[in-house]
Amino acid sequence: MRDGKMADNIVEPCESNPPGSVNDLSEETKKEADEFKEKANEYFKKKDYSQAITFYCEAIKLNPTVAAYYGNRSFAYLKTECFGYALTDASHALELDKTYLKAYYRRASANMALGKFKLALRDFEAVMKARPGDKDAQAKYTECSKIVRRLAFEKAIAVDDGKKSIADQINLESMSIEDDYSGPTLEDTSVTLNFMKHLMETFKSQKCLHRKYAYQILLDAKKLFANQSSLVDITVPEGKKFTVCGDIHGQFYDLMNIFDLNGLPSECNPYLFNGDFVDRGSFSVECIFTLLGFKLLYPNHFFMSRGNHESITMNQMYGFEGEVKSKFSQQMCELFTEVFQLLPLCHCINNKILVMHGGLFSDDTVTLDDIRKVERNKQPPETGIMCELLWSDPQPQCGRSPSKRGVGIQFGPDITKRFLQRNRLDYVIRSHEVKQDGYEVAHDGKCITVFSAPNYCDTMGNKGAFVTLTGGELKPNYTTYEAVVSSICVTVSCRRPHL
């Protein structure tokens, strides 16, 4: 599958002419275009990718015949995770120059992010043939080839009805607690408030939860989520507070800051975390066990929605699988997959606010009942309601557009208005996108984005935010905050574009 974060104000691909259509450019025009490219490169070096894209666009407008302009803009789109745009630009570059090897890398990286591993493998193979001594190309080809073979093997042996659940293979009784273990312990296999407080202090000290308790939490969480609908209804009583948080992405210390600012979850202080709990940050394991622990402690007052990162491919590409293997085991990775597949897809607050990770739909007729009927116990499909709930984004103009991510759609204010009217809702809250202030209000106040991971990936410089509502009027209030500690952006080598 694909990733999902983008900076604000991303410029769409733009050319005044199709690639290669201009043959009689003056030297002055070529020089001016190259100056824009150099300016874009300077912004790229400063990690201001949005501004870099703006100037690459200007260069392309003046001279749409240079493959490197598209290749560079493709790289900037990869950095802002607009994989659909990155793929298009890399292909344009190759239309102009079949020997431009960097474009093969860009296109392969975009296809990897889109889960199109066979296409990515083809491009890595092209680079390897052109540069047989290139160790980086060989490594990427080998890694991508392993993924393709593994997926083919899994498909060959898959027997849907007979496949045994990982959860059924876990034997907790065989797991002993070492005498020197000093971390939190479950009380009669149950999560308590004391356990959660001890757990958070343990994680703050960068110590580990014992694997027996980790497995117990996952097994209990799986049972709990299995009994929920794809759309969960939430009631917030008159005058009571309710908090909605966006993406956390493994930024554990920023998660702790949310609780410092807004209070620990409790029956009197309920929360909804709106997907993308893991990947990217270095402490995804700590984040997910903290959230699942609170879910078990307060099942009717703590809620979790699935994000696009709660999927196998995303976890393989963006760090979570590697982190779980390092801290626990491959078996636990597979159990996480079973838990993630049962996470609800969205929540409806007081029959007035729909909260989902991504956005709205390519079909105007979708109702809340349609969402409730979605079979979610699977990996996200490429199209349809589940896909769009996890992947879609708002756009300022009316109508619908292809997604800059390469999956889902972009939907305008008219689409939001019709959906709300059809389903008798007041507004939607979604996450999925970096916003400079941690939140954004769009579509005449009817579409709110909240993103709770400040200074995302240690590069974006954004604030984090959460939304608080009060039962009754349900007016959104916003709290913003800066990052409290730097965290490492975890990636896998196969997705790093070649420089």
Side-chain angles (χ1 to χ4, degrees):
M1 296 294 289
R2 304 105 327 215
D3 197 16
K5 299 294 156 302
M6 293 176 287
D8 293 331
N9 304 318
I10 291 298
V11 180
E12 295 183 22
C14 50
E15 308 88 32
S16 56
N17 299 282
S21 67
V22 180
N23 298 314
D24 300 317
L25 293 172
S26 69
E27 290 302 314
E28 183 179 351
T29 299
K30 291 178 181 178
K31 182 180 177 181
E32 187 179 357
D34 215 45
E35 288 173 353
F36 277 124
K37 184 262 291 183
E38 291 300 324
K39 190 175 291 188
N41 288 350
E42 289 301 314
Y43 279 108
F44 189 99
K45 290 175 184 176
K46 297 175 185 176
K47 299 183 179 180
D48 189 345
Y49 304 119
S50 298
Q51 198 63 24
I53 289 167
T54 298
F55 285 108
Y56 287 136
C57 283
E58 293 301 319
I60 289 169
K61 283 180 182 178
L62 289 173
N63 187 358
T65 67
V66 180
Y69 295 173
Y70 291 95
N72 288 359
R73 191 173 67 176
S74 177
F75 198 3
Y77 279 134
L78 284 169
K79 289 292 188 179
T80 54
E81 301 172 16
C82 299
F83 297 118
Y85 288 171
L87 186 64
T88 298
D89 269 358
S91 294
H92 279 171
L94 289 169
E95 288 173 19
L96 292 166
D97 184 358
K98 294 289 186 186
T99 67
Y100 184 38
L101 294 183
K102 287 184 180 180
Y104 287 104
Y105 271 104
R106 308 289 189 258
R107 191 165 70 180
S109 297
N111 274 320
M112 286 286 284
L114 292 165
K116 299 177 181 178
F117 299 110
K118 288 184 179 179
L119 293 177
L121 185 63
R122 191 180 304 168
D123 282 335
F124 284 138
E125 186 176 20
V127 177
M128 200 174 65
K129 286 180 178 178
R131 289 183 179 173
D134 189 326
K135 292 183 179 180
D136 188 53
Q138 178 66 52
K140 287 179 168 59
Y141 174 82
T142 300
E143 192 160 5
C144 188
S145 181
K146 286 180 180 178
I147 294 173
V148 170
R149 290 198 303 271
R150 177 180 54 76
L151 291 174
F153 175 74
E154 289 174 354
K155 184 177 181 180
I157 66 171
V159 181
D160 290 341
D161 292 333
K163 187 176 179 181
K164 191 173 182 181
S165 165
I166 292 296
D168 295 335
Q169 302 174 36
I170 306 299
N171 183 359
L172 293 175
E173 296 301 320
S174 68
M175 300 179 192
S176 59
I177 308 296
E178 294 76 11
D179 292 338
D180 61 350
Y181 176 69
S182 60
T185 59
L186 295 173
E187 298 180 17
D188 294 327
T189 74
S190 298
V191 172
T192 63
L193 181 56
N194 284 336
F195 173 88
M196 289 307 302
K197 289 180 177 179
H198 193 177
L199 179 68
M200 290 184 286
E201 290 304 316
T202 297
F203 287 159
K204 287 176 186 178
S205 301
Q206 297 191 27
K207 296 178 182 178
C208 295
L209 174 66
H210 195 278
R211 68 188 184 104
K212 181 171 185 175
Y213 302 131
Y215 275 113
Q216 184 73 66
I217 287 172
L218 287 172
L219 293 172
D220 291 346
K222 182 182 178 183
K223 291 177 185 176
L224 193 157
F225 289 129
N227 291 322
Q228 294 191 307
S229 169
S230 291
L231 188 159
V232 174
D233 290 292
I234 298 172
T235 299
V236 180
E238 182 85 23
K240 299 297 183 180
K241 185 179 81 169
F242 188 86
T243 302
V244 180
C245 297
D247 304 45
I248 297 299
H249 275 301
Q251 296 183 202
F252 175 73
Y253 295 96
D254 294 306
L255 173 60
M256 294 298 96
N257 189 39
I258 292 173
F259 293 155
D260 288 341
L261 294 169
N262 196 54
L264 285 178
S266 71
E267 292 181 354
C268 297
N269 192 27
Y271 280 84
L272 164 58
F273 280 83
N274 198 28
D276 281 13
F277 320 115
V278 302
D279 284 334
R280 295 297 200 178
S282 301
F283 304 102
S284 292
V285 164
E286 288 77 5
C287 285
I288 191 61
F289 278 121
T290 299
L291 296 174
L292 290 175
F294 276 120
K295 178 62 182 175
L296 293 174
L297 182 58
Y298 303 117
N300 299 317
H301 298 87
F302 192 92
F303 304 92
M304 298 170 66
S305 288
R306 190 174 185 176
N308 61 302
H309 273 263
E310 279 69 58
S311 68
I312 293 175
T313 305
M314 301 306 296
N315 296 162
Q316 292 171 338
M317 294 284 289
Y318 295 100
F320 183 58
E321 181 180 281
E323 185 182 340
V324 176
K325 285 181 181 179
S326 173
K327 295 176 179 178
F328 291 99
S329 67
Q330 172 62 37
Q331 184 187 53
M332 187 173 286
C333 291
E334 296 173 22
L335 183 55
F336 267 115
T337 294
E338 293 185 3
V339 173
F340 288 166
Q341 289 189 166
L342 292 169
L343 285 164
L345 300 178
C346 58
H347 294 74
C348 190
I349 301 172
N350 287 9
N351 298 314
K352 292 296 182 183
I353 307 167
L354 189 66
V355 187
M356 78 291 283
H357 180 74
L360 298 182
F361 312 101
S362 54
D363 183 351
D364 272 339
T365 66
V366 172
T367 65
L368 300 186
D369 282 340
D370 292 327
I371 298 172
R372 287 189 178 93
K373 295 173 185 175
V374 170
E375 171 48 56
R376 69 185 187 279
N377 188 11
K378 59 185 177 182
Q379 290 303 292
E382 296 290 322
T383 58
I385 291 175
M386 180 175 175
C387 169
E388 290 161 354
L389 282 169
L390 300 179
W391 283 98
S392 292
D393 298 292
Q395 64 180 18
Q397 67 271 28
C398 286
R400 295 180 174 92
S401 302
S403 172
K404 62 192 77 179
R405 302 173 191 276
V407 67
I409 64 158
Q410 293 173 196
F411 57 97
D414 55 329
I415 306 302
T416 300
K417 183 178 180 180
R418 289 201 294 271
F419 175 80
L420 295 175
Q421 288 176 340
R422 183 178 186 87
N423 290 282
R424 298 179 181 178
L425 297 167
D426 289 347
Y427 59 93
V428 298
I429 299 176
R430 41 90 61 182
S431 301
H432 196 38
E433 286 182 284
V434 178
K435 296 299 176 183
Q436 197 59 34
D437 292 325
Y439 72 96
E440 180 182 75
V441 181
H443 295 183
D444 301 317
K446 301 299 183 182
C447 181
I448 295 168
T449 297
V450 58
F451 191 83
S452 300
N455 194 27
Y456 174 61
C457 251
D458 275 354
T459 61
M460 300 305 291
N462 60 290
K463 294 179 181 178
F466 54 81
V467 181
T468 52
L469 314 165
T470 301
E473 61 176 1
L474 295 176
K475 178 183 177 182
N477 295 288
Y478 308 97
T479 300
T480 64
Y481 48 90
E482 304 283 353
V484 296
V485 70
S486 178
S487 61
I488 299 169
C489 180
V490 177
T491 55
V492 178
S493 59
C494 66
R495 72 165 292 275
R496 292 191 191 116
H498 182 66
L499 292 169

